[in-house]
Amino acid sequence: MLYSDRVIEHFINPRNAGYIANPDGEGTMGDPSCGDYLRIYINVKDSCISEIKFEIMGCPAAIATSSVLTELAKGKNIDEALKITDLDVLRALGGLPDPKVHCSNLGAGALHQAIWNYKKRSQGGKSTK
Ligand code: FES
């Protein structure tokens, strides 16, 4: 099974890894089939994702897809970011070997959860801030 250079580069040097203390929104997604788990944190300014971080317990492909997802989402209007799909993430990485395609299915879902969490909080829902 061969990973593309882009996948390897994002795995070795993941962008936006880490967490945000008291984020504006956070979302999680897991894959019960392998136990991998992703958490996305966002801060929002002027309706755009001003900061995004991720923490993951996962395989190299999941780390690379999470990294590239944060690059796709950072700076985007939140409603535009809600349109990011698993396929967008896969394409941004230049694809994955067939047995690892499922690893690209955590990022968009976790991002969408984080945005919905932000929207809920900003509309008067429970906030940790
Ligand atoms: Fe679980 Fe890659 S093996 S996400």
Side-chain angles (χ1 to χ4, degrees):
M1 177 166 41
L2 285 179
Y3 288 121
S4 69
D5 289 346
R6 189 153 167 76
V7 172
I8 293 169
E9 201 279 318
H10 272 272
F11 168 60
I12 292 172
N13 181 29
R15 279 49 144 200
N16 303 300
Y19 74 99
I20 299 172
N22 296 317
D24 291 332
E26 56 190 293
T28 59
M29 188 65 65
D31 183 340
S33 71
C34 62
D36 287 359
Y37 182 85
L38 170 65
R39 178 167 293 193
I40 296 276
Y41 305 87
I42 59 170
N43 278 337
V44 178
K45 186 174 184 186
D46 299 329
S47 298
C48 293
I49 296 175
S50 59
E51 190 176 12
I52 181 166
K53 296 279 188 185
F54 75 93
E55 292 181 310
I56 190 162
M57 188 178 72
C59 69
I63 292 168
T65 55
S66 302
S67 171
V68 83
L69 169 84
T70 64
E71 284 194 329
L72 289 175
K74 195 167 186 177
K76 267 204 170 52
N77 176 282
I78 53 173
D79 290 321
E80 287 300 310
L82 278 172
K83 296 176 186 170
I84 294 173
T85 66
D86 295 336
L87 190 56
D88 293 329
V89 175
L90 195 56
R91 284 184 178 141
L93 268 185
L96 285 168
D98 282 348
K100 302 302 281 184
V101 167
H102 74 96
C103 307
S104 63
N105 295 342
L106 297 174
L111 172 67
H112 298 170
Q113 292 283 338
I115 293 169
W116 285 116
N117 180 244
Y118 161 74
K119 287 183 176 237
K120 184 177 174 186
R121 290 179 183 189
S122 62
Q123 289 167 3
K126 187 175 181 214
S127 173
T128 58
K129 281 196 165 181

